[in-house]
Amino acid sequence: MKNFKQIAILTILFGFSVTYHLQAQNNTIRIQSENPNIVLPPLPYAENELEPYISAQTVMLHYGKHLKGYIDNVNRLVKDDSQLMGKDLETIVKQSEGTLYNNAAQAWNHIFYFDAFSSHAQHQPSGDLAKQINKQWGDFSNFKTAFESIANSLFGSGWIWLVKNKNGSLDIIGESNAGNVLKGDKKPLLGVDVWEHAYYLDYQNRRANHVNGLWNIIDWSIVERRYDEK
């Protein structure tokens, strides 16, 4: 099963059918549930498909343990917020603060991160996204150098984002800890996790090797689709 089109539909509300849109399959799946919680979506590939750049063990722990832990925390914490209880994950990220925000943002960030990978990835952007990258950075190689520089210089833990501005231009932004760009007016296109739990089993403290390896599995057809979506 390939990548999900929307993360905002992760919340299953009591007594309602929720439609999941799957990019790789031109159909819909309707799920009836009595559980009002945010749910962990299925990984869109096998745990070992990203090797050797991300090991199966790292995927299992990162997706199945760390991400699940954030989702479990959101479901526990949101019960104390009557305004956000039952809302989708994106809404919770945008409207929450403190501990709830940290866990909701981390959950959203991780789903978005893993959703951009494929073992059969398109390794370079094309179309309007490629034109904008070339306009701002000269070529894709220069863009990757700029992205890696920001990723490797971010102090401590956090996320590196490629974002689209309202005028179509791009920015590379480093955010500490659970930092998520949804609270602003920028559209996230790609998020890279530089917390040590994302790479320590595979690269120990060599963050630069982790970031560089991701170019082999980032599927630019997915990032392009995000850029083109209104």
Side-chain angles (χ1 to χ4, degrees), residues 3-216:
N3 301 289
F4 295 110
K5 184 177 182 182
Q6 297 176 347
I7 292 177
I9 54 178
L10 290 176
T11 302
I12 295 179
L13 302 179
F14 179 87
F16 288 89
S17 293
V18 176
T19 301
Y20 284 84
H21 299 276
L22 305 180
Q23 288 291 349
Q25 301 174 357
N26 189 21
N27 61 2
T28 58
I29 298 173
R30 296 187 180 275
I31 301 175
Q32 190 80 19
S33 175
E34 295 183 354
N35 186 351
N37 291 338
I38 307 294
V39 296
L40 178 69
L43 191 68
Y45 35 75
E47 289 180 348
N48 65 350
E49 281 190 48
L50 303 181
E51 292 182 334
Y53 309 106
I54 304 179
S55 68
Q57 185 180 22
T58 291
V59 173
M60 183 271 292
L61 292 171
H62 197 181
Y63 196 87
K65 301 296 183 181
H66 284 278
L67 171 53
K68 183 179 183 301
Y70 294 129
I71 290 175
D72 289 345
N73 287 338
V74 172
N75 289 326
R76 174 177 55 83
L77 293 165
V78 79
K79 293 177 182 178
D80 296 326
D81 191 324
S82 60
Q83 298 299 313
L84 292 176
M85 180 66 177
K87 299 293 186 180
D88 62 85
L89 187 57
E90 183 171 323
T91 298
I92 295 173
V93 171
K94 290 178 177 179
Q95 298 182 10
S96 62
E97 301 291 342
T99 304
L100 177 57
Y101 167 78
N102 287 335
N103 282 275
Q106 281 291 78
W108 195 99
N109 294 354
H110 280 83
I111 295 168
F112 197 74
Y113 168 75
F114 279 103
D115 200 47
F117 298 145
S118 171
S119 59
H120 306 288
Q122 174 184 311
H123 290 145
Q124 293 195 35
S126 61
D128 290 339
L129 176 58
K131 292 177 182 177
Q132 189 62 40
I133 287 174
N134 293 339
K135 178 181 178 180
Q136 292 186 228
W137 285 279
D139 58 32
F140 186 52
S141 178
N142 289 340
F143 162 79
K144 291 195 294 183
T145 298
F147 193 98
E148 290 183 22
S149 177
I150 293 174
N152 295 328
S153 63
L154 182 73
F155 182 78
S157 301
W159 293 83
I160 311 303
W161 296 99
L162 174 64
V163 298
K164 177 184 178 181
N165 298 306
K166 289 184 176 181
N167 64 0
S169 65
L170 303 168
D171 285 323
I172 304 169
I173 298 174
E175 292 277 359
S176 296
N177 299 320
N180 183 296
V181 297
L182 289 175
K183 278 185 172 288
D185 59 358
K186 299 178 184 294
K187 178 181 177 63
L189 304 179
L190 175 68
V192 166
D193 189 349
V194 293
W195 285 63
E196 282 194 341
H197 68 237
Y199 59 87
Y200 203 84
L201 287 176
D202 301 327
Y203 300 98
Q204 289 77 54
N205 64 337
R206 301 188 302 274
R207 179 191 290 184
N209 292 22
H210 159 65
V211 175
N212 183 264
L214 295 181
W215 300 122
N216 295 281

